[in-house]
Amino acid sequence: GESVGLHLPTLSVQEGDNSIINCAYSNSASDYFIWYKQESGKGPQFIIDIRSNMDKRQGQRVTVLLNKTVKHLSLQIAATQPGDSAVYFCAEGNAGNMLTFGGGTRLMVKP
Amino acid sequence: DTEVTQTPKHLVMGMTNKKSLKCEQHMGHRAMYWYKQKAKKPPELMFVYSYEKLSINESVPSRFSPECPNSSLLNLHLHALQPEDSALYLCASSQGDRRGTNEKLFFGSGTQLSVL
């Protein structure tokens, strides 16, 4: 059987739909947030980052939203493609403390 | 060049072996890192070098020994490892302006290590 802790939260979306991946962070002193994409057999790849003086930042097909009131971060991917299938990690940091990674979410894109 | 290059990509070693993992970057970054990642888990920080000096050791067992020969290279020497040390070992670098605490990390593809 499978062991506790080996399950990644999974988001399954249809190709072409928008995806929203959520992340709750724990440290109210965190002022830097970053999203990474990790494909199987590869290292984490930078997607987008945001500092706490902003609540929204847009990249190419991706948007990061930051809600400091409820300590919530989200990554929105527009027009999701099969190549977006991967595990997505959020990370938080502040001056004097290294980035702390969240547990990860697996995104599966159905053709 | 915006890459962090790690070698080897795969490594199988016995518990009595000595091996080394290598990492190289040519982005002029002054902070370099070793992370360990188990399957379906986030990366866990092991060591941080800032301006070629070890600045953080996250209580890593002495069977892992890091080395930073110069600002572009980072090694991880392995000796007498245990099967539970099997994992993906990731190297990363960052500009180093914020001493590695609040800035973007660039990761290599990792070395998949199996200890028999």
Side-chain angles (χ1 to χ4, degrees), chain A residues 6 31-32 36 38 97-98, chain B residues 33 37 40 42 100-102 105:
Chain A
L6 288 184
D31 59 7
Y32 178 65
Y36 284 94
Q38 188 173 21
N97 287 295
M98 291 298 305
Chain B
Y33 312 73
Q37 186 177 28
K40 301 186 182 183
T101 58
N102 220 8
L105 303 182

Side-chain angles (χ1 to χ4, degrees), chain A residues 5-6 8 31-32 34 36 38 41-44 46 49 51 89 93-99 101-103 106, chain B residues 33 35 37 39-43 45 48 56 58 88 90 98-110:
Chain A
L6 288 184
L8 275 174
D31 59 7
Y32 178 65
I34 189 166
Y36 284 94
Q38 188 173 21
K42 296 186 178 180
F46 169 80
D49 58 0
R51 297 199 180 272
F89 291 101
N94 60 64
N97 287 295
M98 291 298 305
L99 284 177
F101 284 82
R106 181 182 303 282
Chain B
Y33 312 73
Y35 281 82
Q37 186 177 28
K40 301 186 182 183
K41 295 289 188 182
L45 183 66
V48 181
I56 295 178
E58 291 286 347
L88 181 68
L90 294 162
R98 297 174 185 263
R99 300 184 180 275
T101 58
N102 220 8
E103 57 186 10
K104 185 191 312 181
L105 303 182
F106 292 78
F107 284 89
S109 289

Side-chain angles (χ1 to χ4, degrees), chain A residues 17-77:
Chain A
D17 287 352
N18 296 336
S19 302
I20 300 176
I21 301 171
N22 295 306
C23 179
Y25 65 93
S26 55
N27 188 349
S28 56
S30 292
D31 59 7
Y32 178 65
F33 305 87
I34 189 166
W35 281 99
Y36 284 94
K37 171 187 179 182
Q38 188 173 21
E39 296 174 272
S40 182
K42 296 186 178 180
Q45 176 188 356
F46 169 80
I47 302 173
I48 193 167
D49 58 0
I50 189 169
R51 297 199 180 272
S52 60
N53 60 350
M54 302 174 70
D55 52 22
K56 180 179 179 178
R57 191 166 186 218
Q58 288 185 287
Q60 189 176 18
R61 276 202 311 120
V62 294
T63 301
V64 56
L65 297 177
L66 175 63
N67 185 330
K68 295 181 286 293
T69 303
V70 294
K71 292 190 285 191
H72 184 267
L73 189 69
S74 68
L75 176 70
Q76 299 179 359
I77 304 174

Side-chain angles (χ1 to χ4, degrees), chain B residues 43-103:
Chain B
E44 296 175 9
L45 183 66
M46 300 175 72
F47 302 104
V48 181
Y49 273 83
S50 179
Y51 289 79
E52 299 160 51
K53 289 187 172 18
L54 183 65
S55 61
I56 295 178
N57 175 343
E58 291 286 347
S59 303
V60 179
S62 60
R63 57 186 184 268
F64 296 91
S65 175
E67 179 197 18
C68 189
N70 61 53
S71 60
S72 299
L73 295 175
L74 186 66
N75 299 322
L76 185 63
H77 303 297
L78 314 173
H79 175 52
L81 294 194
Q82 303 297 310
E84 59 264 29
D85 296 321
S86 298
L88 181 68
Y89 288 84
L90 294 162
C91 174
S93 70
S94 68
Q95 277 197 298
D97 295 341
R98 297 174 185 263
R99 300 184 180 275
T101 58
N102 220 8
E103 57 186 10

